């Protein structure tokens, strides 16, 4: 980095860059009212198992300006009176017969409860007289009158709105329902317009006290406890966030808009969002695909409850079960100090071990929420994308998922070396006043003491000679190659075929990834006559200087900001675009099914939350601009909207991603696509074939606002130049200290 940066400024820059899509809400804002609290458990909430199939249906165009017509579909045939009673237990009435003009189309397009729906020709709706009751005939689209004792499925109203956040928003959590799981006991959540929501579920014992810095430990629920309902109506604590600069502390506004809940070490929670509770007797073919999201934030920030990752639109449009999770961050998730403390006591890479524990919880329990444990897709952005790479590398995780969506992983950056991780851990113990081997001492300290010591230790490591490159690596916290959990760096594993070759992979980046980070490093334009001096220390081995010898990053002397503009392009290629191309070639050579993409359109998180966009990102598609379209969460904040082209683009992204989650292929099949729902009717999706990666032609799918397309070989020449003249960080900073050749 720039030599004149002070110690504090350097670490602040490190933290800002590591956060990736850093919180748009300042931690220094004044104290505001706390977020709405849970009303507690509603007595006599209905049981999903007893209802034998209750599904939330919505023809969701993701446009917040269009009318929505959500309904509840009761799949079990009942008499009219029994159907009305079930609606009552859900806090609703049978669907009014004057509101059914949309139902025929909905039943023909929903990807939810497809097998139950296709068996149905008539359903109870509201309307009864002395001798007959009203049913809807889906064939004719009209109502008719039948004896009230006839047993039919039914449609209930769903009067609840979509979940939003805001200081004035009141979330109705009173429409509750219970689910009994195989291993986690009975959980009582609630529903909104789009989904059933089960929040704050513990997937491991609290990692506090003597469990701090240890691998996650499974919760054992006794038989006597399995029928006692646990509150799943509010988010659990989120994991400890990165060290704060100065005296800044999080407040209620920050927690609400950025994290979704207060932070604590007791944070190993996950959240389940499902449109379908099928009951315990449903066959495998009736279960929904599961998408498990691992959040980004540089392994130092954010949580599974961050509002940006609100999955209601993804769930209801895609017809999938979504799981979001917390995992330990910073030193809490990456502490180790071998050999002074053996790995049998402090194993390291705890963040990834937490993710594996959460995925195991999904395997054990997701059937109870309508999900298919054999059809799990893991996905994540930034550090979440890096986590996808980690999970592709760990043999013990291979059986926990089938498909992988990795967004904006810095594939040019390797996993961490044992030395870097050890130096941070040893420094933590030093600043805590503990001996190098005294784990119990570190476990006895307060979380505030840990964070202060972490701040000092990471500062030392970043400023140590030879570690300057860590600043361009997106942070010092990364999984460690220790030979046990991780058998090697991903690039090594790809070259030898020792990664999860059976997984279907979809990965890529945004067009201008590095433009988000560059102003943290170079806040002002760089004068041409100072170029060599200022850039010399940015990438070691003179790689910055070498980049500017390329004809592909030629400087324009009439542009006063030409150096930063070209540097943004060059580093985006080096760390994202070309590294993805190279590893796509490698995985394709190993016969993996791989799909690559680039986002040339997106929506920035900052303006969505009412904060100013970084000037350098104006007109660019920066890091994290793909997150909101991936969830369709552009209207999550009170007063925000998602309309027109924003809604259209989100439909395209969600339809591609959920199709991939269902089939391992982002293209809807031409036959038998009923379970894909609206995706099979989206011309933005069906009109463009997305080919699997071909190592001989470098095919990339380009997400555009309207006319997405496939590029063939557009990046090849630039990337070949980089590979020949510059080299990737996983080559020059390999964790095992050896140069990794490009391949194949």
């Amino acid at each position: 980095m720039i030599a004149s940066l002070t110690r504090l400024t350097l670490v602040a820059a490190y933290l800002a860059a590591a956060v990736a899509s850093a919180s748009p809400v300042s931690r220094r804002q004044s104290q505001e009212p706390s977020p709405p609290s849970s009303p507690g458990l509603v007595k006599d909430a209905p049981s999903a198992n007893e209802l034998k199939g209750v599904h939330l249906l919505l023809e969701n165009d993701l446009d917040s300006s269009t009318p929505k017509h959500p309904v509840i579909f009761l799949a079990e045939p009942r008499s009219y009176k029994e159907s009305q009673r079930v609606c009552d237990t859900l806090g609703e009435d049978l669907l009014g017969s004057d509101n059914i003009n949309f139902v025929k189309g909905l039943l023909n397009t929903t990807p939810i409860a497809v097998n139950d729906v296709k068996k149905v020709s008539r359903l109870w709706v509201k309307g009864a007289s002395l001798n007959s009751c009203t049913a809807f005939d889906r064939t004719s689209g009209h109502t008719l009158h039948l004896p009230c004792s006839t047993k039919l499925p039914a449609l209930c109203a769903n009067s609840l709105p979509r979940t939003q956040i805001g200081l004035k928003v009141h979330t109705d959590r009173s429409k509750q329902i219970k689910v009994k799981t195989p291993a986690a006991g009975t959980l009582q959540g609630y529903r909104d317009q789009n989904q059933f929501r089960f929040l704050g579920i513990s997937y491991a014992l609290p990692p506090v006290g003597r469990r701090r810095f240890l691998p996650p430990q499974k919760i054992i629920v006794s038989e006597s406890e399995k029928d006692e309902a646990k509150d799943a109506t509010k988010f659990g604590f989120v994991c400890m966030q990165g060290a704060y600069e100065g005296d800044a502390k999080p407040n209620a506004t920050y927690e609400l808009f950025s994290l979704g809940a207060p932070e604590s070490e007791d944070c190993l929670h996950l959240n389940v969002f499902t449109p379908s509770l099928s009951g315990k007797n449903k066959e495998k073919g009736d279960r929904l695909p599961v998408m498990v999201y691992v959040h980004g934030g540089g392994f130092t920030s954010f949580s599974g409850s961050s509002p940006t990752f609100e999955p209601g639109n993804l769930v209801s449009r895609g017809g999938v079960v979504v799981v979001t999770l917390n995992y330990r961050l910073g030193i809490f998730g990456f502490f180790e100090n071998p050999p002074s403390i053996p790995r049998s006591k402090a194993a390291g890479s705890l963040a990834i071990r937490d993710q594996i524990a959460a995925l195991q919880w999904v395997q054990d329990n997701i059937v109870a929420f309508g999900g298919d444990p054999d059809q799990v897709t893991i996905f994540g952005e930034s550090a979440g994308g890096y986590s996808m790479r980690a999970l592709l590398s760990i043999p013990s995780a291979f059986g926990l998922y089938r498909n992988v969506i990795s967004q904006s992983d810095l594939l040019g950056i390797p996993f961490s070396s044992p030395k870097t991780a050890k130096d941070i851990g040893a420094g933590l113990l030093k600043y805590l006043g503990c001996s190098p081997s005294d784990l119990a001492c570190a476990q006895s300290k307060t979380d505030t003491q840990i964070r202060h010591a972490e701040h000092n230790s990471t500062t030392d490591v970043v400023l140590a000679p030879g570690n300057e490159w860590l600043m361009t690596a997106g942070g010092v916290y990364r999984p460690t190659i220790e030979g046990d959990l991780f058998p090697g760096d991903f690039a090594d594993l790809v070259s030898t075929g020792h990664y999860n070759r059976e997984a279907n992979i979809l990965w890529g980046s945004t067009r201008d990834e590095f433009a988000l980070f560059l102003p943290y490093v170079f806040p002002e334009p760089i004068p041409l006559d100072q170029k060599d001096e200022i850039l010399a220390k940015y990438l070691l081995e003179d790689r910055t200087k070498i980049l500017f010898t390329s004809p592909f990053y030629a400087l324009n002397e009439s542009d006063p900001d030409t150096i930063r503009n070209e540097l943004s392009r060059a580093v985006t290629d080096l760390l994202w675009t070309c590294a993805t191309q190279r590893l796509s070639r490698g995985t394709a050579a190993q016969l993996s099914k791989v799909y690559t993409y680039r986002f040339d359109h997106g929506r920035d998180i900052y303006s969505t939350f009412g904060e100013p966009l970084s000037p350098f990102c104006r007109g660019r598609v920066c890091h994290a601009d793909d997150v909101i379209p991936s969830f369709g969460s552009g209207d999550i904040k009170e007063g925000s909207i998602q309309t027109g082209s924003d809604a259209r683009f989100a439909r395209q992204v969600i339809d591609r991603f959920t199709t991939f989650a269902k089939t391992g292929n982002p293209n809807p099949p031409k036959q038998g696509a009923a379970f894909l729902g609206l995706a099979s009717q989206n011309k933005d999706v069906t009109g463009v074939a997305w080919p699997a990666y071909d190592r001989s032609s470098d095919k990339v799918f380009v997400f555009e606002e309207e006319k997405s397309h496939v590029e063939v070989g557009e990046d090849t020449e630039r990337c070949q130049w980089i590979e020949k003249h510059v080299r990737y960080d996983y080559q020059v900073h390999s964790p095992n200290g050896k140069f990794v050749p490009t391949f194949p």
Side-chain angles (χ1 to χ4, degrees), residues 566-723:
E566 293 306 315
L567 183 63
S568 175
R569 293 182 61 242
V571 178
T572 295
D573 281 346
L574 179 66
L575 299 185
W576 284 277
T577 305
C578 297
T580 300
Q581 181 183 105
R582 172 50 57 190
L583 288 167
S584 295
R585 287 187 179 186
T587 50
Q590 298 291 354
L591 303 183
S592 292
K593 185 62 71 67
V594 181
Y595 297 88
T596 63
Y597 71 81
R598 185 181 73 241
F599 272 74
D600 278 10
H601 183 73
R603 183 168 177 180
D604 73 276
I605 293 174
Y606 289 82
S607 60
T608 299
F609 283 85
E611 294 291 320
L613 174 67
S614 166
F616 200 73
C617 277
R618 290 173 187 158
R620 291 183 165 99
V621 187
C622 287
H623 187 76
D625 283 359
D626 55 335
V627 174
I628 286 178
S630 300
F631 285 93
S633 58
D635 60 350
I636 182 61
K637 180 178 178 285
E638 178 187 23
S640 62
I641 61 172
Q642 180 171 265
T643 60
S645 61
D646 283 335
R648 178 179 178 177
F649 188 69
R651 289 194 295 269
Q652 181 188 164
V653 176
I654 285 176
D655 288 353
R656 287 288 190 181
F657 282 9
T658 57
T659 296
F660 180 77
K662 295 170 182 179
T663 67
N665 184 322
N667 302 290
K670 295 180 179 180
Q671 301 294 329
F675 70 103
L676 294 177
L678 294 168
S680 61
Q681 301 179 22
N682 186 344
K683 293 182 180 179
D684 288 333
V685 174
T686 60
V688 184
W690 183 341
Y693 191 86
D694 182 346
R695 58 187 170 130
S696 65
S697 57
D698 296 324
K699 296 176 182 177
V700 178
F701 183 83
V702 181
F703 279 103
E704 291 275 16
E705 183 175 358
E706 295 184 4
K707 297 182 180 179
S708 296
H709 60 280
V710 177
E711 288 184 352
V712 180
E714 294 292 324
D715 306 321
T716 302
E717 193 174 358
R718 294 196 325 278
C719 294
Q720 287 178 343
W721 189 94
I722 281 179
E723 289 167 7

Side-chain angles (χ1 to χ4, degrees), residues 210 335 337 340-341 429 432-443:
R210 291 290 184 179
F335 173 81
N337 190 33
S340 298
I341 301 176
L429 292 165
L432 288 174
C434 302
S435 72
S437 61
D438 196 346
L439 179 62
C441 174
Q443 292 170 329

